[in-house]
Amino acid sequence: MADKHWSLAIHGGAGVITRDRLDEKQRGGIEAALGQALDAGSTVLAAGGSAVDAVQAVVEVLEDDPHFNAGRGAVFTYEGSNELDAAIMDGSNRAAGAVAGVTHIRHPVALARAVMADSPHVFLSGAGAEEFAREKGFEMTDPAWFATESRRKALEEFKARKVSWFDIDLKYGTVGAVARDAQGHVAAATSTGGLTGKRWGRIGDSPVIGAGTYADDRTCAVSATGAGEFFVRAGVAHTICDRVRFLHETVQEAADATIKEVGELGGDGGVIVAGPDGTTAFSFNTPGMYRGRADSSGMHEIAIFGDD
């Protein structure tokens, strides 16, 4: 018989997030958005809802908020469009769903959930994913919904400077959530617009099961954010779960060791983790990560900078 304890951790991206780069208005808006998302997931869990429902609720709130690189406010590709990726995973049975390169879906995480629940597949992309969405009754959203002026300016700056293939402001604004529900099950969800100026249908770690998203009741649930190519190469989310399962590390130890490995490869970013015992952890090798957590004991924390 599982206890009734629940816990939730969320993120809105990691990167060069420092006090001198965020004014009070920006900081207030980000903290308010994280708080709204945390409340959405907490409401589900406090009512006895599932971890899967909770992480989806969190991510949908963040997908609608232009402060983050997911849904509305997603970064632009080199060609000037917004291509969205998302994944969700249920730790109780390791069911998973993911989509990549969608351009007309307001809540990509909801489409990933439909792939998990209503298709024989795990991962759909591009036009095929949108054809599936139409068959399942998803309302198609005008791509203009996702576009914001600040992201368009970031693309223009990227093209003007052409310094690297990674985000012009070095903030990886992926959003995600992990949860443990009152039944003892864990789940994870992640959503992103990818990298500013990405080309050739590039896909990062966020929708890749085992890289940016993973959940297993035997170990933990993980959602990642950062330089996706490195997280794919390190199989970050699955590696964290393996370290918990086979090395018997705590979720914090496993997360820290895996982020250290990412750093040694040359990548940066962070993860959030939730264990089936209700423990949550954050680990990141960047100056900051937009993050928050809450649980049934009354904990409610929101943080941005590394020293928060």
Side-chain angles (χ1 to χ4, degrees), residues 52-53 55-56 87-91 93-99 109-124 132 187-188 209:
V52 176
D53 285 344
V55 295
Q56 180 178 345
I88 194 165
M89 188 162 182
D90 182 345
N93 57 6
R94 282 177 281 166
V99 295
V109 72
L111 183 55
R113 176 80 179 269
V115 172
M116 178 176 79
D118 297 329
S119 87
H121 308 303
V122 169
F123 202 169
L124 302 181
F132 172 78
I209 302 302

Side-chain angles (χ1 to χ4, degrees), residues 204-221:
D205 65 307
S206 298
V208 178
I209 302 302
T213 307
Y214 201 74
D216 183 346
D217 276 4
R218 298 173 299 179
T219 54
C220 57

Side-chain angles (χ1 to χ4, degrees), residues 6 13 51 55 69 79 135 168 190 218 225 254 298:
W6 58 263
V55 295
N69 174 19
E79 292 75 22
E135 289 181 8
I168 196 70
T190 314
R218 298 173 299 179
T225 173

Side-chain angles (χ1 to χ4, degrees), residues 137-155:
F138 277 73
E139 180 182 346
M140 294 293 110
T141 301
D142 188 322
W145 160 258
F146 305 108
T148 61
E149 194 55 37
S150 64
R151 299 298 194 191
R152 200 178 298 279
K153 286 179 181 175
L155 175 64

Side-chain angles (χ1 to χ4, degrees), residues 94 216 218-219 240-249:
R94 282 177 281 166
D216 183 346
R218 298 173 299 179
T219 54
I240 291 170
C241 291
D242 278 352
R243 294 187 73 100
V244 171
R245 185 179 177 198
F246 298 115
L247 300 182
H248 309 294
E249 293 180 344

Side-chain angles (χ1 to χ4, degrees), residues 168-248:
I168 196 70
D169 56 0
L170 296 175
K171 291 203 290 283
Y172 306 108
T174 303
V175 306
V178 292
R180 187 265 197 193
D181 62 30
Q183 289 71 48
H185 301 307
V186 298
T190 314
S191 183
T192 189
L195 294 175
T196 298
K198 64 183 182 180
R199 296 183 72 183
W200 312 303
R202 178 265 185 190
I203 299 166
D205 65 307
S206 298
V208 178
I209 302 302
T213 307
Y214 201 74
D216 183 346
D217 276 4
R218 298 173 299 179
T219 54
C220 57
V222 183
S223 175
T225 173
E229 281 69 11
F230 297 94
F231 282 70
V232 171
R233 289 164 55 194
V236 164
H238 200 283
T239 294
I240 291 170
C241 291
D242 278 352
R243 294 187 73 100
V244 171
R245 185 179 177 198
F246 298 115
L247 300 182
H248 309 294

